[in-house]
Amino acid sequence: MSKPIEHDYIGLSEQPLPSMEKSSDTNDKKNGLRLKDTELRLGLPGSDSPEREDHDQNVLSLKSFVSGSKRGFSDALDGGRKWVFPGGSGGGSEGLFSPRRSGNNNGGNDLSEPDSGLDGSVSKDGAAHKPLVVQEKKSHVGNTAPASKAQVVGWPPIRSFRKNTMASHPLKSDDDDNAEAKLGSGCLYVKVSMDGAPYLRKVDLKIYGSYKELSSALEKMFSCFTIGQCGSHGVSSRDGLSESRLIDLLHGSEYVLTYEDKDGDWMLVGDVPWEMFTNSCKRLRIMKSAEAIGLAPRAMEKCKNRI
Amino acid sequence: MGSYSSELKRSKDSDESARRSSFPDEVLERVLSLLKSHRDRSSVSLVCKDWYNAERWSRTHVFIGNCYSVSPEIVARRFPRIRSVTLKGKPRFSDFNLVPENWGADIHAWLVVFAAKYPFLEELRLKRMAISDESLEFLAISFPNFKALSLLSCDGFSTNGLAAIATHCKNLTELDIQENGIDDKGGSWLSCFPESFTSLEVLNFANLTSDINFDALEKLVGRCKSMRVLKLNRSVSLEQLQRLLVSAPQLAELGTGSFSQELTIHEYEDLESTLSNCKNMHTLSGLWDAKGIYLPALYPACSHLTFLNLSYAALQSVELAKLLAHCPRLKRLWVLDTVEDKGLEAVGLNCPLLEELRVFPADPFDDEIVHGVTEAGFVAVSFGCPRLHYVLYFCRQMTNAAVATIVQNCPDFTHFRLCIMNPGQPDYLTNEPMDEAFGAVVKTCTKLQRLSVSGLLTDLTFEYIGRYAKNLETLSVAFAGRSDWGMQCVLGGCPKLRKLEIRDCPFGNAALLSGLEKYESMRSLWMSACNVTMNGCRLLAREMPRLNVEVMKEDGSDDSQADKVYVYRSIAGPRRDAPPSVLTL
């Protein structure tokens, strides 16, 4: 069978993207569609620093999805760029999950300059990590994002009845937890995510009495995850090595523990008294240190203002 | 039935007059009236003119897969004795909001013809049709023998229309309202069934959200002694369910209301014992907001269950495992992915007779994975359930190796619908495209009729499909493929293909036009957000006059792009009720 002629996926534009030719070669994994970057990650943009130079390819190849479609994708990709770290330039006290139209967006749809985001690596990864599935958030714990986020129309393919049923009556189990919390002031569940881990965990802040207890609990919880890969079973021979590695990571310089407070700001954990922290913490994130620059001063300022 | 048709064809070769004298029409019609399958009937009608006539006079049920492929007048002319009609309208992607609101598929023109030609019509089953309250009222008044109304994924009506049905249809046995875009104006419609009305056997109003008049419902269930299917909506409480079941222990299919009320121990015991009295129950659904603590009340009722629909109950793995231990006869199971892989392991362990599994996502639009199933869950089910032949699986990660294992364990798949929710996602372990996964499916599962693909796919997937999927009838493709070649492989290779629906793929005019003759043997083709242009569509329309080629344009798109293309064969010619946004070429 002859090798098919590569058609530019972009129906409209005339010039082929250099990356399309590269990424279209499926036999060459290295030059592939940066498949690793299309893996679902929770990490902030930039959490894969060693692979940064590949991101150009990734975003440009993703562009093929964007301009090839009239709706949803460019918006979704734009939405992807909203996942920027608030501590970067452009300021504002918006939480990580609130969309922001950075001044560098060129009308929102032009992705020829991925670097036009706040921080080159940041926005590239933002786009890379969130190719097409930026959706409206409905009833997230601690989410302050307004409903302006784009949604890929009709994907995943779920009938309206099911969608509407789940939207109006969220089925998440943490709703049950919250309901119980209202009944007795028993628990305070917050989501904890870690950059590079494939899924979130939840912790009940009320069962810990101090930052130390929380910290060691989190270490145990995330010890099965190493940076980058985590198999679905989560258990591997590397466990022992990972656990100590994670502790080193948490105590060392590579990760910091941050939280989103009631105002939607991201703060370093540990700056305020424990009770104040549990009262205002809405979610936790184990961030790469590189992304946490700029947090500390604000936390202190806020603290001062409160006092 | 295939050999039956060939036998019939052989008899055609013998002396025609002798055949006619020894085989009177009445006998032939009587024999043919036993044929139920519409495909068999189509074969029979092709034998010769006599058989065509005999068949058309004996047919009582007509199935129309695409309401625009034929007109109601043509149907009425050919089949004079129809009592039951099944009609499907909009393209399937309308379920996912890809079809404009006023696209068409309105039932009214059909009803007008039916009222004139089939005054004794008894059953109407509609899927993806537009139906107004006026039409429902017209239906209720025009057909005195009307018995069964089933509306699935329809829209355009409100509970007022249901009230008209309840008021006027004295012989109603079935009212099945499923997953429709219904304007719910309140529950008073149920009170419209007259006191003298006792014939209802099937009542499904799970679709509705508002409170119904429970008193009226209780009385209705009490006097309809033949009721075998009752599917309640969420507003019905556990306590109310218990009261209903007391008067209807004969139910074969039960859809509970909300399964989470605060019950006293006494009320719980009542519920449990009432449920255990339902010895005929083979289908259980509803279970909205099901709390783990009340599930044990169901255990005694589960021993004969063959279909358990938990897709609106966010169960955890342990809860599911405990419940499944009581369901050894289960053949069909629908769950939410809150049960996770551990829950699916329990499926594999407890349900050896399982034939169908559907796993729906609880949080499809949540970009952060909190829960969900992975390839491990699917593999676990495949090891425990070798009879599995129908699967719908929403997940966030998959591997080629897992799918290969799955189909090795379960080679009898007829329906394989895998939705990796992040578009274009590769094998998460190897980073390769998912081509080999679907290659394994089509190579191993020779009986495959329906396939939905997802994940990162090159043209190789479609080469495999074209080469191996010889029984494939329905193919759904999204965010896949690399070039026209992919689609060409499918069009050139799948002899039984009837429905092809494609969105967001790099297939253009060359691909579209490679299927010219093929489309006449298919029901329909849908292509949206691909690379097809208006010129390509015009060429197709010009070359194939018996196809309807319709283009739906999006606001603000390029004039030359054919944003959404719907192509289907029709003997009724181009339709005349298309809205301005739909261009017929």
Side-chain angles (χ1 to χ4, degrees), chain B residues 12 28 50 133 292 312 409:
Chain B
K12 179 194 173 190
L28 187 56
D50 282 352
D133 286 343
Y312 292 102
N409 293 338

Side-chain angles (χ1 to χ4, degrees), chain A residues 1-12 20 23-27 29 32-42 65 68-71 73 83 97 128-140 149 151-166 168-174 176 179-180 183 191 193 197-202 229-233 283 285, chain B residues 92 94-98 127-128 152-153 179-180 206-208 234 288-289 291 309 311-314 316 334 336 338 341 360-371 374-376 394 396-397 419-433 435 453-454 456 458-459 463 467 478-479 482-485 489 503-507 510 528-531 554 557-558 560-561 563-564:
Chain A
M1 227 167 282
S2 61
K3 181 90 174 80
I5 300 162
E6 284 299 337
H7 286 244
D8 191 339
Y9 178 44
I10 301 172
L12 297 177
M20 255 329 262
S23 59
S24 63
D25 183 352
T26 51
N27 293 329
K29 281 186 225 179
L33 278 174
R34 294 299 157 251
L35 306 174
K36 207 167 175 177
D37 291 310
T38 60
E39 272 180 26
L40 280 169
R41 305 277 198 91
L42 299 175
F65 283 93
S69 153
K70 315 304 171 303
R71 100 214 131 265
F73 292 7
W83 287 69
F97 297 106
H129 285 298
K130 295 284 162 271
L132 300 159
V133 205
V134 177
Q135 305 292 355
E136 288 193 34
K137 290 201 187 255
K138 302 247 191 291
S139 50
H140 256 66
K149 274 197 174 167
Q151 192 169 12
V152 177
V153 177
W155 189 265
I158 295 170
R159 286 206 182 130
S160 308
F161 176 67
R162 180 173 289 279
K163 263 196 300 190
N164 296 340
T165 304
M166 295 193 302
S168 57
H169 293 264
L171 297 172
K172 285 187 269 218
S173 57
D174 58 30
D176 290 341
E180 279 150 26
L183 289 174
K191 289 184 185 174
S193 61
Y199 50 87
L200 302 183
R201 306 302 291 266
K202 281 189 300 192
Q229 279 293 359
C230 179
S232 60
H233 304 282
R283 62 194 306 159
R285 174 161 242 146
Chain B
R92 192 178 77 97
S94 75
D95 283 348
F96 319 127
N97 301 329
L98 288 179
K127 188 170 183 180
R128 291 190 203 102
L152 172 57
S153 211
E179 299 196 29
N180 301 291
N207 195 177
L208 300 173
R234 203 179 201 151
W288 311 88
D289 320 307
K291 286 256 193 292
N309 180 354
S311 64
Y312 292 102
Q316 306 299 301
W334 296 15
L336 280 175
T338 51
D341 290 335
F360 295 93
D363 262 319
F365 306 120
D366 191 343
D367 350 15
E368 293 164 17
I369 319 154
V370 181
H371 295 293
T374 71
E375 77 282 5
F394 284 85
R396 292 184 170 88
Q397 64 185 55
C419 182
I420 303 168
M421 287 192 274
N422 196 12
Q425 183 172 301
D427 177 321
Y428 80 98
L429 285 181
T430 65
N431 273 334
E432 283 170 356
D435 297 332
V453 297
S454 59
L456 179 69
T458 71
D459 288 340
E463 281 181 33
R467 203 184 318 160
F479 309 105
R482 289 285 165 80
S483 73
D484 287 332
W485 173 244
C489 287
R503 63 165 294 181
D504 297 281
C505 295
F507 303 139
S528 61
C530 296
N531 289 346
E554 307 252 303
S557 78
D558 193 301
S560 64
Q561 280 304 103
D563 305 311
K564 293 175 183 167

